[in-house]
Amino acid sequence: MEALLAFTRPPLDWHALAPELTLLAVGTILTLVDIIWDEKSKQVMPTLAGVGLLAGLVPILTLALDGTDRAMFGGAYMVDDFALVMKALFLIVGYIIVLMSVDYIRDGDYYENEYYTLMLTSLLGMLMMASSRDLISVFVALELLSIPAYMMAAWRKGGRRSNEAGLKYYLMGVFASAIMLYGMSLIYGLTGSTSFSSIASAMALNDGVTAMSILGVLFVLIGFAFKVSAVPFHNWAPDTYEGAPTPVTAFLAVASKAAGMVALIQLVFVAFDNHEVIQPFFWLIAALTMTVGNLIALRQTNIVRLLAYSGIAQGGFMLVPFAVAGQASERALQAIVIYLIIYAFMNLGAFSVVLAVSRKTRSGELESFGGLFQYAPGLAVAMTIFLAALAGIPPAGGWFAKFGLFRALLDAGGAWAATLGVVVAINTVIAFAYYARVLGQMWFQPIHEGDERPIKLTSALGSALVIALVATMAFGILPGLVGHFGEVAVLSTLGR
Amino acid sequence: MVDTIVFLVAAVICLTGALGVILARNPVHSALMLVMTLFGIAVQFVSQEAHFLAAVQVIVYAGAIVVLFLFVIMLLGVDTAQNLEIGALPAQKWAALCFGVGSLALTGYIILAVDNPVTGRPGMGGAIDETANVRLLARSLFSNYVYAFELTSLLLVIAVIGAVVLARKPVKQLPEEAGR
């Protein structure tokens, strides 16, 4: 009996948990509103969800102003600057995706209310991921963000393609989770701990390179490689991206991928110290992902599929700094964080334009962009900027992301880093080829099916477009903005 | 003495279930027999003082996996309606009653044999020591892993919501929608 009483509740820092609790509360409110007002509540759902996401930014701001690192649950949950930067990114991305979804989901025959609840839950998982410094938390966060995403991919229930998208994503995701769990159990068996810092010190004691630790580490990394759709674990991505409702595709391509990257960052830079295993693995995966993604993208005729493969290739670029995580850890981490932030906005922008155009043309084919400039010059210019950013042409934001990659590679030095740099350079050129094809369609081709009606941009989609556009341009012209976030994130993660 | 009795009873339950899985002609019966076997094994675990394994055995195997079996079997369409009046032998009802009372008695024994958390009285099997698996597990579940633990419950809720939405057939065009 005394033993039962002796248990004391672990101290909870409510301020540190506030962003997650806000999302949880908003999700609950959405569900309640749905239950009480049923169909009448459809109109307010997206507004509520959007306001809720923005409300989540408030505690993040106050936490950032406060500036102290907060650790809870024996270090399993950390709120430091890295976590805050990533949480803010997830919330803003979530807000933009809600804006993109409003009309798409309302026009189609979808269940609206549950859609937003699922998305908020998935975002909650992402926020949790940014703070998790423990294998179990990371796993729960991963499932929390993935399972709603599986269902959102299949949200167009009547469509066979959407069903295929959901099922493929689900099966591959579960498969990846199983592999990852196996790896985690090996690591736990080896080090006797689930917390990242203890794993790092235990591995340092054992020299880190035993067959079992290599297997464990690789299995965990492979699990997340599925999540960020790195080649050769990418086969689910194109079909899922094409079949899923387009806003969900944007969600998967940006938010979900970013969450996978956040997990990888924490695993590689905090938990696993055995760089002699990790670096060659990431070298190979990054080179493969960039090259395969870009080469297949060259042959695509469907714009969403093209963006899917371009997203795979961009993921490859993001994996590059992991290959020099040992030699140039600071620069590498900074490069990844900056790339993630910029990629989020430019890719969301491109998806917004695709959504706007396909609302009129009802087509996902590349030809539907034909002559866009003649009847929707604004959209054509915006798309040009986003594609230029994705290709890495200044002054649009993407150049700074690529610059960060090269800087990390140069800092690391050595033959391997140099070869990877060459691969990156070649891939940048290949990527330009297919982005240019879209540009060519918009500027020089005849109008698709001769339909010259202008495109009516709804206010929600328009705002999403404007936010993405402003951010993309701002990051390109004032790279110090995003660079600052990168530096802040680096200091807190590596200052262990 | 008590151990032997528990072992024998549980062993009979296990073997009957196992035989039932093989011999039953109806796949639903086979699945239910499997539950019986798994429960028997859980009892064996308890008598070996592996309380956590016993709980997992019941929750994961009997609770989740077999129920999944049943779902799949039913989805695949074993829907031949069975008339309960005709097929049943008279002895079956009594056998069911005996098994039910027996299981209840066994549960009661387990409750008595282990520590009573309400009264704090040690059970017949002796006091549980501080380092017992279940207690340590509960402690870490509600201290270091409480956040992940609580969010898992959210995960389950949301999975159910999503699954229901995806699986639900649109019954009819809703009046509000038709009007728009």
PDB file of all heavy atoms in Angstrom, chain A residues 3 10 20 39 42 73 77 111 114 121 124 128 134 151 157 194, chain B residues 130 139 142-147 151 154 158 162 165-166 168 174 177:
ATOM      1  N   ALA A   3       3.754   1.412  -1.076  1.00  0.00           N
ATOM      2  CA  ALA A   3       4.427   1.471  -2.372  1.00  0.00           C
ATOM      3  C   ALA A   3       3.552   2.163  -3.400  1.00  0.00           C
ATOM      4  O   ALA A   3       4.032   2.908  -4.242  1.00  0.00           O
ATOM      5  CB  ALA A   3       4.772   0.057  -2.839  1.00  0.00           C
ATOM      6  N   PRO A  10       4.959  12.712 -12.379  1.00  0.00           N
ATOM      7  CA  PRO A  10       6.112  13.422 -12.933  1.00  0.00           C
ATOM      8  C   PRO A  10       5.750  14.886 -13.122  1.00  0.00           C
ATOM      9  O   PRO A  10       4.600  15.208 -13.426  1.00  0.00           O
ATOM     10  CB  PRO A  10       6.334  12.734 -14.275  1.00  0.00           C
ATOM     11  CG  PRO A  10       5.037  12.099 -14.604  1.00  0.00           C
ATOM     12  CD  PRO A  10       4.410  11.732 -13.308  1.00  0.00           C
ATOM     13  N   GLU A  20       0.888  21.792 -28.118  1.00  0.00           N
ATOM     14  CA  GLU A  20       0.210  20.529 -28.375  1.00  0.00           C
ATOM     15  C   GLU A  20      -1.194  20.533 -27.769  1.00  0.00           C
ATOM     16  O   GLU A  20      -2.141  20.076 -28.393  1.00  0.00           O
ATOM     17  CB  GLU A  20       1.003  19.361 -27.779  1.00  0.00           C
ATOM     18  CG  GLU A  20       2.178  18.916 -28.604  1.00  0.00           C
ATOM     19  CD  GLU A  20       3.442  19.645 -28.237  1.00  0.00           C
ATOM     20  OE1 GLU A  20       3.342  20.754 -27.669  1.00  0.00           O
ATOM     21  OE2 GLU A  20       4.526  19.127 -28.509  1.00  0.00           O
ATOM     22  N   GLU A  39     -24.488  19.010 -39.940  1.00  0.00           N
ATOM     23  CA  GLU A  39     -24.238  19.560 -41.276  1.00  0.00           C
ATOM     24  C   GLU A  39     -24.061  21.072 -41.270  1.00  0.00           C
ATOM     25  O   GLU A  39     -23.356  21.627 -42.092  1.00  0.00           O
ATOM     26  CB  GLU A  39     -25.402  19.187 -42.204  1.00  0.00           C
ATOM     27  CG  GLU A  39     -25.437  17.724 -42.568  1.00  0.00           C
ATOM     28  CD  GLU A  39     -24.179  17.283 -43.307  1.00  0.00           C
ATOM     29  OE1 GLU A  39     -23.811  17.951 -44.281  1.00  0.00           O
ATOM     30  OE2 GLU A  39     -23.562  16.291 -42.895  1.00  0.00           O
ATOM     31  N   LYS A  42     -20.513  22.749 -41.172  1.00  0.00           N
ATOM     32  CA  LYS A  42     -19.527  22.618 -42.251  1.00  0.00           C
ATOM     33  C   LYS A  42     -18.863  23.948 -42.597  1.00  0.00           C
ATOM     34  O   LYS A  42     -17.689  23.996 -42.909  1.00  0.00           O
ATOM     35  CB  LYS A  42     -20.198  22.059 -43.503  1.00  0.00           C
ATOM     36  CG  LYS A  42     -20.274  20.557 -43.524  1.00  0.00           C
ATOM     37  CD  LYS A  42     -20.691  20.073 -44.893  1.00  0.00           C
ATOM     38  CE  LYS A  42     -20.662  18.560 -44.955  1.00  0.00           C
ATOM     39  NZ  LYS A  42     -21.026  18.088 -46.289  1.00  0.00           N
ATOM     40  N   PHE A  73       9.873  14.466 -18.469  1.00  0.00           N
ATOM     41  CA  PHE A  73       9.800  13.007 -18.543  1.00  0.00           C
ATOM     42  C   PHE A  73      11.191  12.398 -18.718  1.00  0.00           C
ATOM     43  O   PHE A  73      11.434  11.612 -19.630  1.00  0.00           O
ATOM     44  CB  PHE A  73       8.889  12.572 -19.680  1.00  0.00           C
ATOM     45  CG  PHE A  73       7.571  13.271 -19.701  1.00  0.00           C
ATOM     46  CD1 PHE A  73       7.156  13.947 -20.817  1.00  0.00           C
ATOM     47  CD2 PHE A  73       6.774  13.265 -18.573  1.00  0.00           C
ATOM     48  CE1 PHE A  73       5.944  14.600 -20.824  1.00  0.00           C
ATOM     49  CE2 PHE A  73       5.558  13.914 -18.569  1.00  0.00           C
ATOM     50  CZ  PHE A  73       5.142  14.586 -19.705  1.00  0.00           C
ATOM     51  N   TYR A  77      11.205  14.366 -23.554  1.00  0.00           N
ATOM     52  CA  TYR A  77      10.481  15.429 -24.238  1.00  0.00           C
ATOM     53  C   TYR A  77      11.228  16.731 -24.001  1.00  0.00           C
ATOM     54  O   TYR A  77      11.372  17.170 -22.865  1.00  0.00           O
ATOM     55  CB  TYR A  77       9.064  15.513 -23.675  1.00  0.00           C
ATOM     56  CG  TYR A  77       8.187  16.483 -24.384  1.00  0.00           C
ATOM     57  CD1 TYR A  77       7.494  16.097 -25.517  1.00  0.00           C
ATOM     58  CD2 TYR A  77       8.049  17.792 -23.930  1.00  0.00           C
ATOM     59  CE1 TYR A  77       6.693  16.987 -26.178  1.00  0.00           C
ATOM     60  CE2 TYR A  77       7.246  18.684 -24.591  1.00  0.00           C
ATOM     61  CZ  TYR A  77       6.570  18.273 -25.715  1.00  0.00           C
ATOM     62  OH  TYR A  77       5.776  19.160 -26.373  1.00  0.00           O
ATOM     63  N   TYR A 111     -16.286  13.895 -46.657  1.00  0.00           N
ATOM     64  CA  TYR A 111     -16.625  14.194 -45.273  1.00  0.00           C
ATOM     65  C   TYR A 111     -15.724  15.336 -44.853  1.00  0.00           C
ATOM     66  O   TYR A 111     -14.513  15.193 -44.831  1.00  0.00           O
ATOM     67  CB  TYR A 111     -16.393  12.981 -44.380  1.00  0.00           C
ATOM     68  CG  TYR A 111     -17.398  11.893 -44.628  1.00  0.00           C
ATOM     69  CD1 TYR A 111     -17.096  10.813 -45.427  1.00  0.00           C
ATOM     70  CD2 TYR A 111     -18.648  11.974 -44.053  1.00  0.00           C
ATOM     71  CE1 TYR A 111     -18.020   9.824 -45.665  1.00  0.00           C
ATOM     72  CE2 TYR A 111     -19.577  10.992 -44.284  1.00  0.00           C
ATOM     73  CZ  TYR A 111     -19.262   9.916 -45.092  1.00  0.00           C
ATOM     74  OH  TYR A 111     -20.185   8.950 -45.315  1.00  0.00           O
ATOM     75  N   GLU A 114     -14.492  15.562 -40.364  1.00  0.00           N
ATOM     76  CA  GLU A 114     -13.470  14.623 -39.919  1.00  0.00           C
ATOM     77  C   GLU A 114     -12.140  14.910 -40.596  1.00  0.00           C
ATOM     78  O   GLU A 114     -11.080  14.660 -40.030  1.00  0.00           O
ATOM     79  CB  GLU A 114     -13.900  13.185 -40.208  1.00  0.00           C
ATOM     80  CG  GLU A 114     -15.044  12.699 -39.337  1.00  0.00           C
ATOM     81  CD  GLU A 114     -16.390  13.094 -39.889  1.00  0.00           C
ATOM     82  OE1 GLU A 114     -16.413  13.776 -40.939  1.00  0.00           O
ATOM     83  OE2 GLU A 114     -17.412  12.739 -39.280  1.00  0.00           O
ATOM     84  N   THR A 121      -4.845  16.207 -35.898  1.00  0.00           N
ATOM     85  CA  THR A 121      -4.192  15.136 -35.147  1.00  0.00           C
ATOM     86  C   THR A 121      -2.832  14.820 -35.744  1.00  0.00           C
ATOM     87  O   THR A 121      -1.839  14.642 -35.033  1.00  0.00           O
ATOM     88  CB  THR A 121      -5.049  13.873 -35.172  1.00  0.00           C
ATOM     89  OG1 THR A 121      -6.383  14.233 -34.910  1.00  0.00           O
ATOM     90  CG2 THR A 121      -4.569  12.883 -34.155  1.00  0.00           C
ATOM     91  N   LEU A 124      -0.501  17.355 -34.745  1.00  0.00           N
ATOM     92  CA  LEU A 124      -0.128  17.157 -33.340  1.00  0.00           C
ATOM     93  C   LEU A 124       1.013  16.146 -33.251  1.00  0.00           C
ATOM     94  O   LEU A 124       1.971  16.328 -32.490  1.00  0.00           O
ATOM     95  CB  LEU A 124      -1.352  16.680 -32.561  1.00  0.00           C
ATOM     96  CG  LEU A 124      -1.161  16.345 -31.095  1.00  0.00           C
ATOM     97  CD1 LEU A 124      -0.673  17.563 -30.354  1.00  0.00           C
ATOM     98  CD2 LEU A 124      -2.445  15.861 -30.489  1.00  0.00           C
ATOM     99  N   MET A 128       4.773  16.728 -31.767  1.00  0.00           N
ATOM    100  CA  MET A 128       5.349  15.820 -30.784  1.00  0.00           C
ATOM    101  C   MET A 128       6.700  15.313 -31.279  1.00  0.00           C
ATOM    102  O   MET A 128       7.660  15.206 -30.525  1.00  0.00           O
ATOM    103  CB  MET A 128       4.390  14.663 -30.560  1.00  0.00           C
ATOM    104  CG  MET A 128       4.839  13.711 -29.493  1.00  0.00           C
ATOM    105  SD  MET A 128       3.749  12.302 -29.453  1.00  0.00           S
ATOM    106  CE  MET A 128       4.563  11.314 -28.203  1.00  0.00           C
ATOM    107  N   ASP A 134      13.430  10.430 -27.602  1.00  0.00           N
ATOM    108  CA  ASP A 134      13.316   9.119 -26.981  1.00  0.00           C
ATOM    109  C   ASP A 134      12.658   8.203 -28.005  1.00  0.00           C
ATOM    110  O   ASP A 134      11.762   8.627 -28.734  1.00  0.00           O
ATOM    111  CB  ASP A 134      12.450   9.293 -25.727  1.00  0.00           C
ATOM    112  CG  ASP A 134      11.985   8.000 -25.131  1.00  0.00           C
ATOM    113  OD1 ASP A 134      11.044   7.421 -25.670  1.00  0.00           O
ATOM    114  OD2 ASP A 134      12.565   7.601 -24.129  1.00  0.00           O
ATOM    115  N   MET A 151      -5.390   7.752 -43.832  1.00  0.00           N
ATOM    116  CA  MET A 151      -6.832   7.837 -44.089  1.00  0.00           C
ATOM    117  C   MET A 151      -7.154   9.035 -44.959  1.00  0.00           C
ATOM    118  O   MET A 151      -8.044   8.981 -45.803  1.00  0.00           O
ATOM    119  CB  MET A 151      -7.575   7.883 -42.761  1.00  0.00           C
ATOM    120  CG  MET A 151      -7.367   6.573 -42.015  1.00  0.00           C
ATOM    121  SD  MET A 151      -8.279   6.402 -40.509  1.00  0.00           S
ATOM    122  CE  MET A 151      -7.405   7.452 -39.414  1.00  0.00           C
ATOM    123  N   LYS A 157     -13.363   8.732 -51.296  1.00  0.00           N
ATOM    124  CA  LYS A 157     -13.730   7.337 -51.098  1.00  0.00           C
ATOM    125  C   LYS A 157     -14.197   6.653 -52.367  1.00  0.00           C
ATOM    126  O   LYS A 157     -13.933   5.485 -52.597  1.00  0.00           O
ATOM    127  CB  LYS A 157     -14.846   7.243 -50.053  1.00  0.00           C
ATOM    128  CG  LYS A 157     -14.343   7.215 -48.663  1.00  0.00           C
ATOM    129  CD  LYS A 157     -15.448   7.383 -47.673  1.00  0.00           C
ATOM    130  CE  LYS A 157     -16.504   6.324 -47.802  1.00  0.00           C
ATOM    131  NZ  LYS A 157     -17.537   6.503 -46.770  1.00  0.00           N
ATOM    132  N   THR A 194      15.964   3.871 -23.880  1.00  0.00           N
ATOM    133  CA  THR A 194      15.281   4.383 -25.057  1.00  0.00           C
ATOM    134  C   THR A 194      15.586   5.856 -25.275  1.00  0.00           C
ATOM    135  O   THR A 194      15.216   6.408 -26.289  1.00  0.00           O
ATOM    136  CB  THR A 194      13.758   4.223 -24.924  1.00  0.00           C
ATOM    137  OG1 THR A 194      13.346   4.871 -23.734  1.00  0.00           O
ATOM    138  CG2 THR A 194      13.355   2.774 -24.886  1.00  0.00           C
TER     139      THR A 194
ATOM    140  N   GLU B 130       8.303  -5.431  -4.778  1.00  0.00           N
ATOM    141  CA  GLU B 130       8.365  -4.115  -5.415  1.00  0.00           C
ATOM    142  C   GLU B 130       8.880  -4.189  -6.851  1.00  0.00           C
ATOM    143  O   GLU B 130       8.580  -3.357  -7.689  1.00  0.00           O
ATOM    144  CB  GLU B 130       9.303  -3.203  -4.601  1.00  0.00           C
ATOM    145  CG  GLU B 130       8.597  -2.172  -3.772  1.00  0.00           C
ATOM    146  CD  GLU B 130       7.662  -1.306  -4.580  1.00  0.00           C
ATOM    147  OE1 GLU B 130       8.167  -0.355  -5.165  1.00  0.00           O
ATOM    148  OE2 GLU B 130       6.459  -1.581  -4.634  1.00  0.00           O
ATOM    149  N   ARG B 139       4.922   1.903 -13.480  1.00  0.00           N
ATOM    150  CA  ARG B 139       5.625   3.097 -13.038  1.00  0.00           C
ATOM    151  C   ARG B 139       6.226   3.854 -14.215  1.00  0.00           C
ATOM    152  O   ARG B 139       6.062   5.064 -14.349  1.00  0.00           O
ATOM    153  CB  ARG B 139       6.740   2.724 -12.073  1.00  0.00           C
ATOM    154  CG  ARG B 139       6.329   2.928 -10.677  1.00  0.00           C
ATOM    155  CD  ARG B 139       7.366   2.451  -9.723  1.00  0.00           C
ATOM    156  NE  ARG B 139       6.684   2.240  -8.461  1.00  0.00           N
ATOM    157  CZ  ARG B 139       6.360   3.236  -7.657  1.00  0.00           C
ATOM    158  NH1 ARG B 139       6.702   4.463  -7.950  1.00  0.00           N
ATOM    159  NH2 ARG B 139       5.710   2.997  -6.552  1.00  0.00           N
ATOM    160  N   PHE B 142       3.678   5.518 -16.423  1.00  0.00           N
ATOM    161  CA  PHE B 142       3.036   6.738 -15.940  1.00  0.00           C
ATOM    162  C   PHE B 142       4.024   7.792 -15.479  1.00  0.00           C
ATOM    163  O   PHE B 142       3.628   8.793 -14.908  1.00  0.00           O
ATOM    164  CB  PHE B 142       2.044   6.406 -14.824  1.00  0.00           C
ATOM    165  CG  PHE B 142       0.772   5.841 -15.364  1.00  0.00           C
ATOM    166  CD1 PHE B 142       0.584   4.476 -15.433  1.00  0.00           C
ATOM    167  CD2 PHE B 142      -0.209   6.681 -15.869  1.00  0.00           C
ATOM    168  CE1 PHE B 142      -0.572   3.954 -15.971  1.00  0.00           C
ATOM    169  CE2 PHE B 142      -1.364   6.167 -16.409  1.00  0.00           C
ATOM    170  CZ  PHE B 142      -1.554   4.798 -16.460  1.00  0.00           C
ATOM    171  N   SER B 143       5.320   7.555 -15.690  1.00  0.00           N
ATOM    172  CA  SER B 143       6.257   8.638 -15.383  1.00  0.00           C
ATOM    173  C   SER B 143       6.973   9.067 -16.662  1.00  0.00           C
ATOM    174  O   SER B 143       6.560  10.014 -17.322  1.00  0.00           O
ATOM    175  CB  SER B 143       7.240   8.196 -14.300  1.00  0.00           C
ATOM    176  OG  SER B 143       7.887   7.003 -14.681  1.00  0.00           O
ATOM    177  N   ASN B 144       7.997   8.322 -17.067  1.00  0.00           N
ATOM    178  CA  ASN B 144       8.783   8.769 -18.215  1.00  0.00           C
ATOM    179  C   ASN B 144       8.017   8.700 -19.531  1.00  0.00           C
ATOM    180  O   ASN B 144       8.278   9.476 -20.439  1.00  0.00           O
ATOM    181  CB  ASN B 144      10.057   7.930 -18.339  1.00  0.00           C
ATOM    182  CG  ASN B 144      11.138   8.436 -17.428  1.00  0.00           C
ATOM    183  OD1 ASN B 144      10.958   9.488 -16.800  1.00  0.00           O
ATOM    184  ND2 ASN B 144      12.232   7.713 -17.336  1.00  0.00           N
ATOM    185  N   TYR B 145       7.108   7.744 -19.643  1.00  0.00           N
ATOM    186  CA  TYR B 145       6.463   7.573 -20.939  1.00  0.00           C
ATOM    187  C   TYR B 145       5.013   8.032 -20.927  1.00  0.00           C
ATOM    188  O   TYR B 145       4.241   7.663 -21.801  1.00  0.00           O
ATOM    189  CB  TYR B 145       6.555   6.104 -21.372  1.00  0.00           C
ATOM    190  CG  TYR B 145       7.976   5.633 -21.472  1.00  0.00           C
ATOM    191  CD1 TYR B 145       8.511   4.720 -20.584  1.00  0.00           C
ATOM    192  CD2 TYR B 145       8.809   6.141 -22.465  1.00  0.00           C
ATOM    193  CE1 TYR B 145       9.824   4.320 -20.667  1.00  0.00           C
ATOM    194  CE2 TYR B 145      10.125   5.756 -22.565  1.00  0.00           C
ATOM    195  CZ  TYR B 145      10.629   4.841 -21.658  1.00  0.00           C
ATOM    196  OH  TYR B 145      11.932   4.458 -21.751  1.00  0.00           O
ATOM    197  N   VAL B 146       4.664   8.833 -19.928  1.00  0.00           N
ATOM    198  CA  VAL B 146       3.248   9.162 -19.799  1.00  0.00           C
ATOM    199  C   VAL B 146       2.729   9.953 -21.000  1.00  0.00           C
ATOM    200  O   VAL B 146       1.603   9.764 -21.459  1.00  0.00           O
ATOM    201  CB  VAL B 146       2.982   9.902 -18.466  1.00  0.00           C
ATOM    202  CG1 VAL B 146       3.626  11.261 -18.468  1.00  0.00           C
ATOM    203  CG2 VAL B 146       1.505  10.019 -18.211  1.00  0.00           C
ATOM    204  N   TYR B 147       3.588  10.788 -21.554  1.00  0.00           N
ATOM    205  CA  TYR B 147       3.159  11.622 -22.678  1.00  0.00           C
ATOM    206  C   TYR B 147       2.834  10.750 -23.891  1.00  0.00           C
ATOM    207  O   TYR B 147       1.760  10.844 -24.483  1.00  0.00           O
ATOM    208  CB  TYR B 147       4.275  12.607 -22.992  1.00  0.00           C
ATOM    209  CG  TYR B 147       3.901  13.671 -23.974  1.00  0.00           C
ATOM    210  CD1 TYR B 147       2.911  14.596 -23.671  1.00  0.00           C
ATOM    211  CD2 TYR B 147       4.550  13.768 -25.191  1.00  0.00           C
ATOM    212  CE1 TYR B 147       2.576  15.578 -24.558  1.00  0.00           C
ATOM    213  CE2 TYR B 147       4.224  14.756 -26.089  1.00  0.00           C
ATOM    214  CZ  TYR B 147       3.241  15.664 -25.770  1.00  0.00           C
ATOM    215  OH  TYR B 147       2.912  16.634 -26.661  1.00  0.00           O
ATOM    216  N   LEU B 151      -0.904  10.053 -25.534  1.00  0.00           N
ATOM    217  CA  LEU B 151      -1.170  10.359 -26.942  1.00  0.00           C
ATOM    218  C   LEU B 151      -1.544   9.108 -27.721  1.00  0.00           C
ATOM    219  O   LEU B 151      -2.226   9.191 -28.735  1.00  0.00           O
ATOM    220  CB  LEU B 151       0.030  11.061 -27.569  1.00  0.00           C
ATOM    221  CG  LEU B 151       0.061  12.543 -27.215  1.00  0.00           C
ATOM    222  CD1 LEU B 151       1.255  13.227 -27.830  1.00  0.00           C
ATOM    223  CD2 LEU B 151      -1.208  13.238 -27.673  1.00  0.00           C
ATOM    224  N   LEU B 154      -5.157   8.992 -27.893  1.00  0.00           N
ATOM    225  CA  LEU B 154      -5.675   9.871 -28.945  1.00  0.00           C
ATOM    226  C   LEU B 154      -5.553   9.176 -30.300  1.00  0.00           C
ATOM    227  O   LEU B 154      -6.463   9.211 -31.135  1.00  0.00           O
ATOM    228  CB  LEU B 154      -4.895  11.183 -28.955  1.00  0.00           C
ATOM    229  CG  LEU B 154      -5.218  12.121 -30.104  1.00  0.00           C
ATOM    230  CD1 LEU B 154      -6.627  12.654 -29.953  1.00  0.00           C
ATOM    231  CD2 LEU B 154      -4.231  13.256 -30.177  1.00  0.00           C
ATOM    232  N   ILE B 158      -8.579   8.459 -32.919  1.00  0.00           N
ATOM    233  CA  ILE B 158      -8.597   9.035 -34.253  1.00  0.00           C
ATOM    234  C   ILE B 158      -8.613   7.923 -35.300  1.00  0.00           C
ATOM    235  O   ILE B 158      -9.240   8.049 -36.357  1.00  0.00           O
ATOM    236  CB  ILE B 158      -7.403   9.999 -34.434  1.00  0.00           C
ATOM    237  CG1 ILE B 158      -7.813  11.157 -35.317  1.00  0.00           C
ATOM    238  CG2 ILE B 158      -6.212   9.356 -35.040  1.00  0.00           C
ATOM    239  CD1 ILE B 158      -8.746  12.098 -34.694  1.00  0.00           C
ATOM    240  N   GLY B 162     -11.465   7.697 -38.153  1.00  0.00           N
ATOM    241  CA  GLY B 162     -11.138   7.617 -39.570  1.00  0.00           C
ATOM    242  C   GLY B 162     -11.653   6.340 -40.194  1.00  0.00           C
ATOM    243  O   GLY B 162     -12.214   6.353 -41.297  1.00  0.00           O
ATOM    244  N   VAL B 165     -15.362   6.575 -40.757  1.00  0.00           N
ATOM    245  CA  VAL B 165     -15.699   7.456 -41.881  1.00  0.00           C
ATOM    246  C   VAL B 165     -15.400   6.767 -43.208  1.00  0.00           C
ATOM    247  O   VAL B 165     -16.193   6.807 -44.145  1.00  0.00           O
ATOM    248  CB  VAL B 165     -14.907   8.773 -41.768  1.00  0.00           C
ATOM    249  CG1 VAL B 165     -15.091   9.592 -43.032  1.00  0.00           C
ATOM    250  CG2 VAL B 165     -15.374   9.569 -40.580  1.00  0.00           C
ATOM    251  N   LEU B 166     -14.254   6.108 -43.273  1.00  0.00           N
ATOM    252  CA  LEU B 166     -13.876   5.481 -44.539  1.00  0.00           C
ATOM    253  C   LEU B 166     -14.765   4.285 -44.860  1.00  0.00           C
ATOM    254  O   LEU B 166     -15.073   4.018 -46.014  1.00  0.00           O
ATOM    255  CB  LEU B 166     -12.417   5.021 -44.488  1.00  0.00           C
ATOM    256  CG  LEU B 166     -11.392   6.120 -44.686  1.00  0.00           C
ATOM    257  CD1 LEU B 166      -9.996   5.531 -44.719  1.00  0.00           C
ATOM    258  CD2 LEU B 166     -11.643   6.897 -45.965  1.00  0.00           C
ATOM    259  N   ARG B 168     -17.880   3.753 -43.797  1.00  0.00           N
ATOM    260  CA  ARG B 168     -19.308   4.009 -43.802  1.00  0.00           C
ATOM    261  C   ARG B 168     -19.824   4.174 -45.229  1.00  0.00           C
ATOM    262  O   ARG B 168     -19.227   4.858 -46.045  1.00  0.00           O
ATOM    263  CB  ARG B 168     -19.595   5.272 -43.011  1.00  0.00           C
ATOM    264  CG  ARG B 168     -21.060   5.483 -42.757  1.00  0.00           C
ATOM    265  CD  ARG B 168     -21.269   6.529 -41.710  1.00  0.00           C
ATOM    266  NE  ARG B 168     -21.047   7.860 -42.237  1.00  0.00           N
ATOM    267  CZ  ARG B 168     -21.259   8.961 -41.523  1.00  0.00           C
ATOM    268  NH1 ARG B 168     -21.633   8.856 -40.272  1.00  0.00           N
ATOM    269  NH2 ARG B 168     -21.059  10.144 -42.039  1.00  0.00           N
ATOM    270  N   LEU B 174     -28.015  13.566 -48.020  1.00  0.00           N
ATOM    271  CA  LEU B 174     -28.572  14.306 -46.902  1.00  0.00           C
ATOM    272  C   LEU B 174     -29.440  15.441 -47.416  1.00  0.00           C
ATOM    273  O   LEU B 174     -29.130  16.045 -48.443  1.00  0.00           O
ATOM    274  CB  LEU B 174     -27.436  14.860 -46.048  1.00  0.00           C
ATOM    275  CG  LEU B 174     -26.659  13.756 -45.341  1.00  0.00           C
ATOM    276  CD1 LEU B 174     -25.295  14.230 -44.953  1.00  0.00           C
ATOM    277  CD2 LEU B 174     -27.418  13.268 -44.139  1.00  0.00           C
ATOM    278  N   GLU B 177     -27.830  18.744 -48.215  1.00  0.00           N
ATOM    279  CA  GLU B 177     -26.945  18.743 -49.375  1.00  0.00           C
ATOM    280  C   GLU B 177     -27.746  18.751 -50.666  1.00  0.00           C
ATOM    281  O   GLU B 177     -27.393  19.415 -51.627  1.00  0.00           O
ATOM    282  CB  GLU B 177     -26.048  17.519 -49.328  1.00  0.00           C
ATOM    283  CG  GLU B 177     -24.784  17.773 -48.578  1.00  0.00           C
ATOM    284  CD  GLU B 177     -23.796  16.644 -48.756  1.00  0.00           C
ATOM    285  OE1 GLU B 177     -24.225  15.540 -49.142  1.00  0.00           O
ATOM    286  OE2 GLU B 177     -22.630  16.883 -48.527  1.00  0.00           O
TER     287      GLU B 177
END
